[in-house]
Amino acid sequence: QVQLVESGGGSVQAGGSLRLSCTASGSFLGIGVMGWYRQAPGKQRELVARVTTNGTTTYVDSVKGRFDITRDNPENRVTLQMTSLKPEDTAVYYCHADIVVRVNRVLKYWGRGTQVTVSS
C-alpha cells in the first residue's frame, strides 16, 4: 500500500512563508515526477510545481520566484518552500507522485491535502 503523507501548511499573513513536505511510503520500485497541486474554493485543481527525478522543475507562472520545489530521492520526499505568500495562494495543497509499482506500471498517487491560508 503506497501512501503520500503531507506535513506543513497552516495560516500565515501576506508576505509570510510556509513549507510543505510530502513523503512516499509503502512498497514500490521507484518514483517519477513528484509535485504539488492546489485547489481553491470554487476553482479547479491546478499544478503549482513539479520536479522530475533528475531535478528538473516546472512552476505555474503565478508562483515563479516565490516558491521553490525540491526533492530528496533517498528519502522519497518532495518539499515546497513558499515565500512572499499572497491571499490568492490560499487553497488546499495536494502532493502528487508517479509511483512505479512494478516493472512497466506507473500509478498516480495523491496525498490527502493540507490547507494553506494567507490573510491580508
Side-chain angles (χ1 to χ4, degrees):
Q1 183 77 4
V2 178
Q3 285 188 315
L4 299 182
V5 180
E6 300 148 335
S7 61
S11 298
V12 66
Q13 290 191 329
S17 300
L18 287 172
R19 176 181 291 181
L20 306 180
S21 289
C22 171
T23 301
S25 64
S27 178
F28 48 88
L29 299 182
I31 305 177
V33 175
M34 301 185 81
W36 292 91
Y37 287 69
R38 67 187 179 187
Q39 187 166 19
K43 295 188 177 181
Q44 290 189 330
R45 189 175 297 189
E46 66 169 353
L47 173 67
V48 176
R50 64 182 182 181
V51 56
T52 65
T53 305
N54 65 4
T56 301
T57 58
T58 302
Y59 297 92
V60 66
D61 286 346
S62 61
V63 307
K64 286 180 180 178
R66 301 188 296 121
F67 290 11
D68 183 35
I69 188 169
T70 56
R71 67 186 286 169
D72 183 334
N73 289 330
E75 296 295 327
N76 298 321
R77 181 183 302 130
V78 62
T79 299
L80 184 69
Q81 179 68 48
M82 304 182 293
T83 62
S84 301
L85 283 161
K86 304 175 180 180
E88 50 264 43
D89 295 318
T90 295
V92 178
Y93 284 68
Y94 297 91
C95 176
H96 169 270
D98 290 335
I99 303 293
V100 183
V101 294
R102 56 178 182 264
V103 176
N104 295 324
R105 184 159 177 82
V106 179
L107 298 179
K108 297 184 180 296
Y109 281 84
W110 294 89
R112 298 181 68 176
T114 185
Q115 178 70 44
V116 171
T117 302
V118 184
S119 57
S120 58

